[in-house]
Protein backbone atom coordinates (compact mmCIF):
# COMPACT_ATOMS: atom_id res chain seq x y z
CA UNK A 1 0.00 0.00 0.00
CA UNK A 2 1.62 3.21 -1.21
CA UNK A 3 1.20 6.69 0.25
CA UNK A 4 0.04 9.11 -2.43
CA UNK A 5 1.28 12.33 -0.91
CA UNK A 6 1.71 13.95 -4.33
CA UNK A 7 -1.92 13.67 -5.29
CA UNK A 8 -3.92 16.79 -5.96
CA UNK A 9 -7.00 16.10 -3.88
CA UNK A 10 -8.93 19.23 -4.75
CA UNK A 11 -11.84 17.30 -6.21
CA UNK A 12 -13.55 15.65 -3.25
CA UNK A 13 -17.13 14.57 -3.82
CA UNK A 14 -18.61 17.81 -2.48
CA UNK A 15 -16.44 19.88 -4.83
CA UNK A 16 -17.33 17.54 -7.67
CA UNK A 17 -20.98 18.23 -6.93
CA UNK A 18 -20.40 21.88 -7.70
CA UNK A 19 -17.92 21.71 -10.57
CA UNK A 20 -19.64 18.85 -12.42
CA UNK A 21 -23.14 19.26 -11.05
CA UNK A 22 -24.91 18.83 -14.39
CA UNK A 23 -22.63 16.10 -15.75
CA UNK A 24 -23.93 12.54 -15.74
CA UNK A 25 -21.92 9.72 -14.15
CA UNK A 26 -22.66 6.02 -14.27
CA UNK A 27 -23.93 4.58 -10.97
CA UNK A 28 -25.29 1.20 -12.06
CA UNK A 29 -27.16 -0.82 -14.65
CA UNK A 30 -30.82 -1.60 -14.99
CA UNK A 31 -32.30 -5.08 -15.18
CA UNK A 32 -31.57 -5.24 -18.91
CA UNK A 33 -27.89 -4.35 -18.64
CA UNK A 34 -28.14 -0.74 -19.75
CA UNK A 35 -26.14 1.98 -18.05
CA UNK A 36 -27.87 4.08 -15.43
CA UNK A 37 -26.44 7.58 -15.11
CA UNK A 38 -27.24 10.44 -12.76
CA UNK A 39 -26.29 14.08 -12.77
CA UNK A 40 -23.67 14.58 -10.08
CA UNK A 41 -25.84 17.04 -8.14
CA UNK A 42 -28.56 14.41 -7.76
CA UNK A 43 -26.17 11.63 -6.90
CA UNK A 44 -24.46 13.67 -4.17
CA UNK A 45 -27.86 14.54 -2.70
CA UNK A 46 -28.71 10.84 -2.71
CA UNK A 47 -25.33 9.93 -1.21
CA UNK A 48 -25.78 12.38 1.65
CA UNK A 49 -29.23 11.13 2.57
CA UNK A 50 -29.45 7.46 1.67
CA UNK A 51 -30.25 4.76 4.18
CA UNK A 52 -30.06 1.95 1.61
CA UNK A 53 -28.44 -1.25 2.85
CA UNK A 54 -26.26 -1.33 -0.28
CA UNK A 55 -26.31 2.13 -1.86
CA UNK A 56 -25.77 3.09 -5.47
CA UNK A 57 -22.11 3.52 -6.33
CA UNK A 58 -20.56 5.73 -9.02
CA UNK A 59 -18.24 3.46 -11.04
CA UNK A 60 -17.68 5.47 -14.21
CA UNK A 61 -15.18 4.47 -16.92
CA UNK A 62 -16.11 7.08 -19.51
CA UNK A 63 -15.16 10.27 -17.68
CA UNK A 64 -11.86 10.48 -19.58
CA UNK A 65 -13.66 10.49 -22.93
CA UNK A 66 -16.07 13.35 -22.21
CA UNK A 67 -15.28 16.92 -23.29
CA UNK A 68 -15.88 18.36 -19.80
CA UNK A 69 -15.39 15.43 -17.46
CA UNK A 70 -12.00 14.55 -18.93
CA UNK A 71 -10.58 17.53 -17.03
CA UNK A 72 -10.57 15.15 -14.07
CA UNK A 73 -7.59 13.42 -15.68
CA UNK A 74 -5.49 16.47 -14.81
CA UNK A 75 -6.31 16.08 -11.13
CA UNK A 76 -4.26 12.95 -10.54
CA UNK A 77 -1.02 11.31 -11.63
CA UNK A 78 -0.55 7.59 -12.15
CA UNK A 79 1.68 6.27 -9.31
CA UNK A 80 5.23 5.67 -10.47
CA UNK A 81 5.08 1.90 -9.96
CA UNK A 82 2.16 1.48 -12.38
CA UNK A 83 3.07 3.73 -15.29
CA UNK A 84 3.82 0.91 -17.73
CA UNK A 85 0.58 0.14 -19.54
CA UNK A 86 0.95 -2.23 -22.48
CA UNK A 87 -2.70 -2.08 -23.50
CA UNK A 88 -2.11 1.60 -24.36
CA UNK A 89 -0.08 0.43 -27.36
CA UNK A 90 -3.27 -0.77 -29.02
CA UNK A 91 -4.72 2.75 -28.95
CA UNK A 92 -7.07 4.50 -26.58
CA UNK A 93 -10.16 3.78 -28.65
CA UNK A 94 -9.48 0.05 -29.06
CA UNK A 95 -8.41 -1.02 -25.61
CA UNK A 96 -10.87 -2.37 -23.01
CA UNK A 97 -12.18 0.05 -20.34
CA UNK A 98 -9.42 0.45 -17.78
CA UNK A 99 -9.90 3.49 -15.54
CA UNK A 100 -12.77 4.41 -13.25
CA UNK A 101 -13.86 7.29 -11.08
CA UNK A 102 -15.34 5.69 -7.96
CA UNK A 103 -17.60 7.59 -5.55
CA UNK A 104 -19.87 6.16 -2.87
CA UNK A 105 -21.38 6.51 0.61
CA UNK A 106 -20.89 4.15 3.56
CA UNK A 107 -22.00 0.54 2.87
CA UNK A 108 -21.48 0.85 -0.89
CA UNK A 109 -18.76 -1.22 -2.49
CA UNK A 110 -17.89 -4.05 -4.85
CA UNK A 111 -18.58 -7.74 -4.37
CA UNK A 112 -15.91 -10.43 -4.37
CA UNK A 113 -14.40 -10.85 -7.84
CA UNK A 114 -11.23 -11.29 -9.88
CA UNK A 115 -10.33 -8.56 -12.35
CA UNK A 116 -10.51 -9.56 -16.02
CA UNK A 117 -7.85 -10.90 -18.36
CA UNK A 118 -5.30 -11.41 -15.59
CA UNK A 119 -4.71 -7.66 -15.27
CA UNK A 120 -3.43 -6.10 -12.08
CA UNK A 121 -4.96 -2.95 -10.61
CA UNK A 122 -4.26 0.00 -8.38
CA UNK A 123 -6.81 1.97 -6.37
CA UNK A 124 -5.92 5.41 -5.02
CA UNK A 125 -8.22 6.83 -2.37
CA UNK A 126 -8.67 10.58 -2.45
CA UNK A 127 -11.18 10.89 0.37
CA UNK A 128 -12.78 8.59 2.94
CA UNK A 129 -11.98 5.07 4.17
CA UNK A 130 -12.31 1.68 2.47
CA UNK A 131 -12.16 -1.83 3.88
CA UNK A 132 -10.63 -4.56 1.73
CA UNK A 133 -10.23 -8.32 1.86
CA UNK A 134 -7.98 -10.01 -0.69
CA UNK A 135 -7.44 -13.72 -1.32
CA UNK A 136 -4.73 -15.43 -3.39
CA UNK A 137 -5.69 -16.81 -6.77
CA UNK A 138 -5.58 -20.39 -5.49
CA UNK A 139 -8.57 -19.75 -3.19
CA UNK A 140 -11.53 -21.90 -4.29
CA UNK A 141 -14.41 -19.92 -5.72
CA UNK A 142 -17.01 -21.77 -3.65
CA UNK A 143 -15.18 -20.78 -0.50
CA UNK A 144 -15.47 -17.02 -1.02
CA UNK A 145 -18.67 -16.59 -3.04
CA UNK A 146 -22.03 -15.80 -1.45
CA UNK A 147 -24.72 -18.26 -2.59
CA UNK A 148 -28.25 -17.29 -3.58
CA UNK A 149 -29.55 -19.10 -0.51
CA UNK A 150 -27.34 -16.95 1.70
CA UNK A 151 -27.62 -13.59 -0.03
CA UNK A 152 -30.89 -13.68 -1.93
CA UNK A 153 -30.85 -10.99 -4.61
CA UNK A 154 -27.90 -9.25 -2.97
CA UNK A 155 -25.29 -11.97 -3.46
CA UNK A 156 -22.98 -9.65 -5.40
CA UNK A 157 -22.91 -6.81 -2.89
CA UNK A 158 -19.81 -6.08 -0.84
CA UNK A 159 -21.85 -5.42 2.29
CA UNK A 160 -23.49 -8.85 1.91
CA UNK A 161 -20.09 -10.53 1.63
CA UNK A 162 -18.84 -8.94 4.84
CA UNK A 163 -22.00 -10.04 6.61
CA UNK A 164 -22.08 -13.63 5.32
CA UNK A 165 -18.55 -14.76 4.39
CA UNK A 166 -16.20 -12.60 6.43
CA UNK A 167 -17.19 -14.06 9.86
CA UNK A 168 -16.26 -17.51 8.53
CA UNK A 169 -12.76 -16.34 7.65
CA UNK A 170 -12.16 -15.64 11.35
CA UNK A 171 -13.04 -19.16 12.48
CA UNK A 172 -10.39 -21.77 13.30
CA UNK A 173 -12.02 -24.03 10.73
CA UNK A 174 -11.19 -21.63 7.87
CA UNK A 175 -8.20 -23.02 5.88
CA UNK A 176 -5.07 -21.19 6.98
CA UNK A 177 -3.72 -21.02 3.41
CA UNK A 178 -6.77 -19.00 2.38
CA UNK A 179 -6.79 -16.44 5.15
CA UNK A 180 -7.68 -13.00 3.77
CA UNK A 181 -5.27 -10.12 3.48
CA UNK A 182 -7.17 -7.35 5.25
CA UNK A 183 -6.60 -3.68 4.53
CA UNK A 184 -8.05 -0.47 5.89
CA UNK A 185 -7.33 2.09 3.19
CA UNK A 186 -7.34 5.76 4.13
CA UNK A 187 -7.21 8.95 2.10
CA UNK A 188 -3.89 9.39 0.35
CA UNK A 189 -3.14 5.66 0.18
CA UNK A 190 -2.98 3.41 -2.90
CA UNK A 191 -3.81 -0.30 -2.82
CA UNK A 192 -2.24 -2.69 -5.35
CA UNK A 193 -4.31 -5.71 -6.40
CA UNK A 194 -2.21 -8.48 -8.03
CA UNK A 195 -3.66 -10.09 -11.12
CA UNK A 196 -5.85 -13.09 -10.35
CA UNK A 197 -6.48 -12.21 -6.71
CA UNK A 198 -10.01 -12.25 -5.34
CA UNK A 199 -10.95 -8.97 -3.69
CA UNK A 200 -13.96 -7.33 -2.10
CA UNK A 201 -14.38 -3.74 -0.92
CA UNK A 202 -16.85 -1.84 1.24
CA UNK A 203 -16.78 1.90 1.92
CA UNK A 204 -16.75 2.86 5.59
CA UNK A 205 -17.23 6.57 4.89
CA UNK A 206 -18.13 8.79 1.95
CA UNK A 207 -15.32 8.03 -0.47
CA UNK A 208 -13.81 9.28 -3.72
CA UNK A 209 -11.19 7.18 -5.51
CA UNK A 210 -9.57 6.52 -8.87
CA UNK A 211 -8.68 3.01 -10.00
CA UNK A 212 -7.02 1.58 -13.10
CA UNK A 213 -6.33 -1.89 -14.47
CA UNK A 214 -3.15 -2.44 -16.43
CA UNK A 215 -0.85 -4.91 -18.11
CA UNK A 216 2.90 -4.58 -17.59
CA UNK A 217 5.92 -6.58 -18.71
CA UNK A 218 5.64 -8.54 -15.46
CA UNK A 219 2.11 -9.85 -15.97
CA UNK A 220 2.13 -9.83 -19.78
CA UNK A 221 2.35 -13.64 -20.21
CA UNK A 222 -0.85 -14.36 -18.27
CA UNK A 223 -2.69 -11.33 -19.70
CA UNK A 224 -1.72 -12.37 -23.22
CA UNK A 225 -2.86 -15.93 -22.62
CA UNK A 226 -6.24 -14.82 -21.32
CA UNK A 227 -6.65 -12.18 -24.04
CA UNK A 228 -6.14 -14.71 -26.81
CA UNK A 229 -8.69 -17.08 -25.31
CA UNK A 230 -11.20 -14.46 -24.19
CA UNK A 231 -10.68 -11.50 -26.54
CA UNK A 232 -9.29 -12.88 -29.82
CA UNK A 233 -9.94 -9.75 -31.91
CA UNK A 234 -8.29 -7.53 -29.32
CA UNK A 235 -5.28 -9.85 -29.06
CA UNK A 236 -4.81 -9.89 -32.85
CA UNK A 237 -4.69 -6.09 -33.03
CA UNK A 238 -2.46 -5.96 -29.98
CA UNK A 239 0.03 -8.43 -31.44
CA UNK A 240 0.40 -6.39 -34.63
CA UNK A 241 1.46 -3.39 -32.56
CA UNK A 242 3.74 -5.43 -30.30
CA UNK A 243 5.67 -6.75 -33.30
CA UNK A 244 6.71 -3.18 -34.06
CA UNK A 245 6.95 -1.53 -30.65
CA UNK A 246 7.79 -4.44 -28.34
CA UNK A 247 9.26 -7.31 -30.37
CA UNK A 248 10.50 -8.93 -27.16
CA UNK A 249 6.91 -9.31 -25.95
CA UNK A 250 5.71 -10.36 -29.42
CA UNK A 251 8.22 -13.22 -29.19
CA UNK A 252 6.74 -14.25 -25.83
CA UNK A 253 3.27 -14.10 -27.34
CA UNK A 254 4.27 -16.35 -30.24
CA UNK A 255 5.85 -18.90 -27.90
CA UNK A 256 2.83 -19.08 -25.56
CA UNK A 257 0.73 -22.21 -25.82
CA UNK A 258 -2.76 -20.78 -25.61
CA UNK A 259 -4.42 -24.11 -26.40
CA UNK A 260 -4.36 -25.07 -22.73
CA UNK A 261 -5.92 -23.12 -19.84
CA UNK A 262 -3.52 -20.94 -17.84
CA UNK A 263 -2.56 -21.76 -14.28
CA UNK A 264 -4.44 -18.73 -13.00
CA UNK A 265 -8.07 -19.51 -12.21
CA UNK A 266 -10.95 -17.30 -13.27
CA UNK A 267 -13.95 -15.82 -11.57
CA UNK A 268 -16.87 -17.78 -12.96
CA UNK A 269 -19.52 -15.42 -11.64
CA UNK A 270 -21.83 -13.73 -14.08
CA UNK A 271 -23.83 -10.60 -13.33
CA UNK A 272 -23.84 -11.29 -9.61
CA UNK A 273 -20.81 -9.16 -8.86
CA UNK A 274 -21.60 -5.61 -7.94
CA UNK A 275 -18.67 -4.30 -9.91
CA UNK A 276 -18.63 -6.82 -12.67
CA UNK A 277 -20.40 -9.02 -15.12
CA UNK A 278 -19.33 -12.07 -17.03
CA UNK A 279 -16.99 -11.98 -19.96
CA UNK A 280 -19.00 -14.02 -22.41
CA UNK A 281 -16.14 -15.68 -24.24
CA UNK A 282 -16.08 -19.34 -25.14
CA UNK A 283 -13.24 -20.02 -22.73
CA UNK A 284 -13.83 -22.80 -20.26
CA UNK A 285 -11.61 -22.51 -17.23
CA UNK A 286 -12.86 -24.02 -14.02
CA UNK A 287 -16.30 -24.14 -15.65
CA UNK A 288 -16.16 -20.40 -16.30
CA UNK A 289 -16.45 -18.19 -19.34
CA UNK A 290 -13.67 -15.87 -18.35
CA UNK A 291 -12.83 -13.51 -15.57
CA UNK A 292 -15.57 -11.37 -14.17
CA UNK A 293 -14.40 -7.87 -13.61
CA UNK A 294 -14.36 -4.20 -14.30
CA UNK A 295 -13.91 -4.30 -18.06
CA UNK A 296 -17.65 -4.74 -18.38
CA UNK A 297 -18.00 -1.81 -16.01
CA UNK A 298 -21.07 -2.50 -13.98
CA UNK A 299 -21.59 -1.21 -10.46
CA UNK A 300 -24.07 -1.92 -7.70
CA UNK A 301 -26.87 -4.24 -8.77
CA UNK A 302 -29.94 -2.34 -9.83
CA UNK A 303 -32.38 -5.05 -8.75
CA UNK A 304 -34.74 -3.64 -6.13
CA UNK A 305 -33.21 -0.18 -6.66
CA UNK A 306 -35.71 1.44 -8.99
CA UNK A 307 -36.43 4.90 -7.71
CA UNK A 308 -36.47 8.56 -8.68
CA UNK A 309 -33.80 10.93 -7.45
CA UNK A 310 -34.04 14.67 -8.03
CA UNK A 311 -36.47 14.13 -10.87
CA UNK A 312 -34.19 11.76 -12.84
CA UNK A 313 -35.57 8.29 -13.45
CA UNK A 314 -32.60 6.12 -12.55
CA UNK A 315 -34.23 3.09 -14.14
CA UNK A 316 -34.21 4.85 -17.52
CA UNK A 317 -32.42 2.85 -20.22
CA UNK A 318 -29.71 4.87 -21.90
CA UNK A 319 -29.68 3.18 -25.30
CA UNK A 320 -27.20 3.23 -28.11
CA UNK A 321 -23.76 4.57 -27.28
CA UNK A 322 -24.57 4.75 -23.59
CA UNK A 323 -24.70 0.98 -23.30
CA UNK A 324 -21.48 -0.59 -22.06
CA UNK A 325 -20.20 -3.35 -24.31
CA UNK A 326 -19.48 -6.76 -22.83
CA UNK A 327 -16.03 -8.25 -23.12
CA UNK A 328 -16.48 -10.69 -25.97
Amino acid sequence: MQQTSGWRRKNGHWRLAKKYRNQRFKCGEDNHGYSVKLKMKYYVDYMRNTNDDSPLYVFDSSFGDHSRRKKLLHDYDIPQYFKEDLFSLSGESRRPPYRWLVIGPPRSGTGIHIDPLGTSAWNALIRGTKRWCLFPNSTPRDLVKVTRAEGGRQTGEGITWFKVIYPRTQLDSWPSEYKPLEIIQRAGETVFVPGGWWHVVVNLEHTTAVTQNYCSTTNFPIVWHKSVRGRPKLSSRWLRVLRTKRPDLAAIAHSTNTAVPPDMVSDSSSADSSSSSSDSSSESENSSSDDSGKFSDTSSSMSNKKRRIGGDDINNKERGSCREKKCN
Side-chain angles (χ1 to χ4, degrees):
M1 190 160 61
Q2 179 194 6
Q3 195 72 23
T4 56
S5 57
W7 280 60
R8 292 164 291 207
R9 291 183 283 167
K10 59 185 177 183
N11 276 325
H13 30 258
W14 312 137
R15 191 178 186 93
L16 281 168
K18 181 178 181 180
K19 187 173 182 180
Y20 299 96
R21 63 191 312 269
N22 289 314
Q23 299 301 308
R24 294 177 181 270
F25 292 82
K26 181 177 178 179
C27 61
E29 290 186 348
D30 67 12
N31 293 335
H32 301 280
Y34 291 94
S35 295
V36 174
K37 297 184 178 183
L38 278 179
K39 290 182 178 180
M40 181 57 71
K41 61 183 178 182
Y42 297 140
Y43 179 76
V44 169
D45 181 68
Y46 162 80
M47 185 169 65
R48 283 170 159 164
N49 297 290
T50 182
N51 291 314
D52 290 349
D53 291 338
S54 182
L56 297 175
Y57 192 28
V58 167
F59 215 92
D60 191 288
S61 68
S62 63
F63 72 94
D65 305 320
H66 189 271
S67 58
R68 290 196 59 186
R69 287 182 280 138
K70 69 180 181 182
K71 295 177 182 178
L72 287 165
L73 295 175
H74 302 300
D75 289 330
Y76 72 92
D77 300 311
I78 297 174
Q80 60 176 327
Y81 302 112
F82 314 123
K83 287 185 179 295
E84 185 182 32
D85 182 7
L86 296 175
F87 270 130
S88 65
L89 298 178
S90 62
E92 199 68 18
S93 62
R94 297 191 174 190
R95 64 180 302 167
Y98 68 103
R99 63 186 171 211
W100 292 263
L101 174 68
V102 187
I103 304 173
R107 301 180 305 283
S108 62
T110 57
I112 190 88
H113 67 283
I114 296 174
D115 284 347
L117 301 182
T119 56
S120 299
W122 56 267
N123 182 298
L125 188 57
I126 301 170
R127 178 168 178 161
T129 306
K130 290 178 178 286
R131 184 181 183 184
W132 295 70
C133 278
L134 296 89
F135 297 85
N137 178 254
S138 58
T139 306
R141 179 185 187 276
D142 293 343
L143 196 63
V144 295
K145 281 287 189 176
V146 179
T147 66
R148 179 60 64 91
E150 295 168 328
R153 295 186 177 181
Q154 304 297 324
T155 56
E157 305 293 344
I159 194 70
T160 304
W161 188 93
F162 276 98
K163 180 181 179 181
V164 174
I165 303 295
Y166 178 78
R168 299 176 191 167
T169 69
Q170 305 305 298
L171 300 176
D172 293 338
S173 58
W174 187 269
S176 58
E177 64 270 31
Y178 303 134
K179 283 287 187 182
L181 172 62
E182 300 188 45
I183 298 173
I184 299 296
Q185 181 189 18
R186 295 180 172 84
E189 295 177 338
T190 299
V191 169
F192 167 67
V193 181
W197 277 52
W198 296 95
H199 52 288
V200 57
V201 189
V202 69
N203 294 318
L204 303 180
E205 302 175 319
H206 292 97
T207 62
T208 301
V210 175
T211 182
Q212 291 192 188
N213 283 66
Y214 70 96
C215 173
S216 66
T217 301
T218 301
N219 64 352
F220 174 78
I222 189 66
V223 174
W224 172 253
H225 194 298
K226 285 181 170 288
S227 296
V228 170
R229 292 172 64 89
R231 300 289 302 277
K233 292 182 179 180
L234 167 67
S235 61
S236 295
R237 293 194 301 263
W238 197 17
L239 181 58
R240 288 196 293 269
V241 178
L242 290 174
R243 287 181 182 135
T244 302
K245 298 186 176 181
R246 289 296 302 269
D248 57 324
L249 296 180
I252 293 176
H254 282 296
S255 65
T256 301
N257 182 5
T258 58
V260 297
D263 293 334
M264 182 182 291
V265 302
S266 296
D267 177 359
S268 58
S269 65
S270 54
D272 62 345
S273 174
S274 64
S275 68
S276 56
S277 64
S278 178
D279 182 343
S280 56
S281 73
S282 60
E283 181 177 1
S284 176
E285 301 171 20
N286 296 331
S287 301
S288 81
S289 305
D290 197 352
D291 306 281
S292 171
K294 291 179 290 190
F295 286 0
S296 48
D297 192 25
T298 61
S299 54
S300 293
S301 171
M302 290 303 298
S303 298
N304 302 323
K305 291 184 179 178
K306 300 175 183 177
R307 61 175 73 83
R308 287 184 177 271
I309 300 177
D312 277 18
D313 184 355
I314 68 171
N315 193 45
N316 180 50
K317 302 173 186 176
E318 300 196 8
R319 305 281 182 177
S321 61
C322 292
R323 184 172 185 176
E324 299 291 346
K325 296 182 179 178
K326 302 297 182 184
C327 290
N328 51 22

